[in-house]
Short mmCIF file of all heavy atoms in Angstrom, two decimals:
data_model
loop_
_atom_site.label_atom_id
_atom_site.label_comp_id
_atom_site.label_asym_id
_atom_site.label_seq_id
_atom_site.Cartn_x
_atom_site.Cartn_y
_atom_site.Cartn_z
N LEU A 202 128.61 95.31 127.10
CA LEU A 202 128.50 95.99 125.82
C LEU A 202 127.09 96.46 125.51
O LEU A 202 126.88 97.62 125.15
CB LEU A 202 129.01 95.06 124.70
CG LEU A 202 128.79 95.58 123.28
CD1 LEU A 202 129.57 96.86 123.04
CD2 LEU A 202 129.20 94.53 122.26
N ILE A 203 126.12 95.57 125.67
CA ILE A 203 124.74 95.92 125.31
C ILE A 203 124.21 97.03 126.21
O ILE A 203 123.69 98.04 125.74
CB ILE A 203 123.82 94.68 125.40
CG1 ILE A 203 124.30 93.61 124.41
CG2 ILE A 203 122.38 95.08 125.12
CD1 ILE A 203 124.06 93.91 122.96
N ASP A 204 124.39 96.87 127.53
CA ASP A 204 123.92 97.90 128.46
C ASP A 204 124.58 99.23 128.15
O ASP A 204 123.94 100.29 128.17
CB ASP A 204 124.24 97.48 129.90
CG ASP A 204 123.35 96.36 130.38
OD1 ASP A 204 122.23 96.26 129.85
OD2 ASP A 204 123.78 95.58 131.24
N PHE A 205 125.86 99.17 127.85
CA PHE A 205 126.62 100.39 127.57
C PHE A 205 126.07 101.08 126.32
O PHE A 205 125.80 102.29 126.33
CB PHE A 205 128.10 100.02 127.37
CG PHE A 205 128.95 101.17 126.89
CD1 PHE A 205 129.31 102.20 127.76
CD2 PHE A 205 129.38 101.22 125.58
CE1 PHE A 205 130.09 103.25 127.31
CE2 PHE A 205 130.16 102.27 125.13
CZ PHE A 205 130.52 103.29 126.00
N THR A 206 125.85 100.33 125.25
CA THR A 206 125.42 100.96 124.01
C THR A 206 123.97 101.45 124.09
O THR A 206 123.66 102.50 123.57
CB THR A 206 125.55 99.97 122.82
OG1 THR A 206 124.90 98.76 123.15
CG2 THR A 206 126.98 99.71 122.48
N VAL A 207 123.14 100.69 124.78
CA VAL A 207 121.74 101.11 124.92
C VAL A 207 121.68 102.46 125.65
O VAL A 207 120.93 103.36 125.28
CB VAL A 207 120.90 100.04 125.66
CG1 VAL A 207 119.57 100.62 126.11
CG2 VAL A 207 120.67 98.84 124.75
N ALA A 208 122.50 102.59 126.69
CA ALA A 208 122.53 103.84 127.45
C ALA A 208 123.11 104.96 126.59
O ALA A 208 122.58 106.07 126.53
CB ALA A 208 123.35 103.67 128.72
N LEU A 209 124.20 104.67 125.89
CA LEU A 209 124.87 105.68 125.07
C LEU A 209 123.95 106.19 123.97
O LEU A 209 123.97 107.38 123.62
CB LEU A 209 126.14 105.07 124.46
CG LEU A 209 127.06 106.03 123.71
CD1 LEU A 209 127.61 107.09 124.65
CD2 LEU A 209 128.21 105.27 123.04
N ASP A 210 123.11 105.30 123.47
CA ASP A 210 122.18 105.64 122.39
C ASP A 210 121.25 106.79 122.78
O ASP A 210 120.74 107.50 121.93
CB ASP A 210 121.37 104.38 122.04
CG ASP A 210 120.57 104.56 120.75
OD1 ASP A 210 121.12 105.17 119.81
OD2 ASP A 210 119.43 104.11 120.68
N LYS A 211 121.05 106.95 124.07
CA LYS A 211 120.08 107.95 124.53
C LYS A 211 120.70 109.32 124.76
O LYS A 211 120.02 110.24 125.22
CB LYS A 211 119.43 107.47 125.83
CG LYS A 211 118.63 106.21 125.67
CD LYS A 211 118.12 105.71 127.00
CE LYS A 211 117.43 104.37 126.84
NZ LYS A 211 117.24 103.70 128.14
N LEU A 212 121.99 109.45 124.45
CA LEU A 212 122.73 110.67 124.80
C LEU A 212 122.04 111.95 124.35
O LEU A 212 121.81 112.86 125.15
CB LEU A 212 124.15 110.60 124.23
CG LEU A 212 125.04 111.79 124.56
CD1 LEU A 212 125.20 111.96 126.07
CD2 LEU A 212 126.42 111.65 123.93
N ASP A 213 121.65 112.02 123.08
CA ASP A 213 121.09 113.29 122.60
C ASP A 213 119.67 113.50 123.14
O ASP A 213 119.14 114.59 123.06
CB ASP A 213 121.11 113.36 121.07
CG ASP A 213 120.36 112.21 120.43
OD1 ASP A 213 120.17 111.17 121.11
OD2 ASP A 213 119.94 112.34 119.27
N LYS A 214 119.09 112.46 123.69
CA LYS A 214 117.73 112.57 124.18
C LYS A 214 117.67 112.96 125.66
O LYS A 214 116.91 113.83 126.05
CB LYS A 214 117.01 111.22 124.00
CG LYS A 214 115.57 111.34 123.58
CD LYS A 214 115.03 109.97 123.20
CE LYS A 214 113.58 110.03 122.81
NZ LYS A 214 113.07 108.69 122.45
N ILE A 215 118.47 112.28 126.49
CA ILE A 215 118.36 112.53 127.93
C ILE A 215 119.59 113.22 128.52
O ILE A 215 119.55 113.63 129.68
CB ILE A 215 118.10 111.20 128.69
CG1 ILE A 215 119.26 110.21 128.53
CG2 ILE A 215 116.80 110.57 128.22
CD1 ILE A 215 119.08 108.94 129.35
N GLY A 216 120.66 113.38 127.74
CA GLY A 216 121.81 114.13 128.22
C GLY A 216 122.86 113.27 128.91
O GLY A 216 122.62 112.14 129.32
N GLU A 217 124.05 113.88 129.04
CA GLU A 217 125.22 113.18 129.55
C GLU A 217 125.03 112.61 130.96
O GLU A 217 125.34 111.44 131.21
CB GLU A 217 126.41 114.17 129.55
CG GLU A 217 127.71 113.56 129.99
CD GLU A 217 128.86 114.56 129.91
OE1 GLU A 217 128.77 115.50 129.09
OE2 GLU A 217 129.83 114.38 130.65
N GLU A 218 124.47 113.43 131.86
CA GLU A 218 124.36 112.99 133.25
C GLU A 218 123.49 111.76 133.39
O GLU A 218 123.84 110.79 134.06
CB GLU A 218 123.82 114.13 134.12
CG GLU A 218 124.85 115.21 134.43
CD GLU A 218 126.21 114.63 134.81
OE1 GLU A 218 126.26 113.78 135.73
OE2 GLU A 218 127.23 115.01 134.18
N LYS A 219 122.33 111.80 132.74
CA LYS A 219 121.39 110.68 132.88
C LYS A 219 121.93 109.42 132.23
O LYS A 219 121.67 108.31 132.70
CB LYS A 219 120.03 111.05 132.28
CG LYS A 219 119.25 111.98 133.17
CD LYS A 219 117.83 112.18 132.66
CE LYS A 219 117.06 113.10 133.60
NZ LYS A 219 115.81 113.56 133.01
N VAL A 220 122.69 109.60 131.14
CA VAL A 220 123.30 108.43 130.50
C VAL A 220 124.27 107.78 131.48
O VAL A 220 124.27 106.55 131.67
CB VAL A 220 124.03 108.83 129.20
CG1 VAL A 220 124.93 107.71 128.73
CG2 VAL A 220 123.03 109.20 128.13
N LYS A 221 125.07 108.61 132.14
CA LYS A 221 126.04 108.07 133.10
C LYS A 221 125.32 107.38 134.26
O LYS A 221 125.76 106.33 134.74
CB LYS A 221 126.93 109.19 133.63
CG LYS A 221 127.96 109.64 132.60
CD LYS A 221 128.82 110.75 133.15
CE LYS A 221 129.90 111.14 132.13
NZ LYS A 221 130.60 112.38 132.54
N THR A 222 124.24 108.00 134.71
CA THR A 222 123.47 107.39 135.80
C THR A 222 122.97 106.01 135.40
O THR A 222 123.05 105.06 136.18
CB THR A 222 122.26 108.28 136.14
OG1 THR A 222 122.72 109.63 136.29
CG2 THR A 222 121.59 107.83 137.42
#
Side-chain angles (χ1 to χ4, degrees):
Chain A
L202 173 63
I203 298 289
D204 287 333
F205 172 75
T206 51
V207 165
L209 187 62
D210 191 40
K211 296 175 186 165
L212 182 59
D213 57 339
K214 219 171 178 180
I215 63 176
E217 183 177 334
E218 284 316 307
K219 284 188 179 167
V220 167
K221 285 180 177 170
T222 311

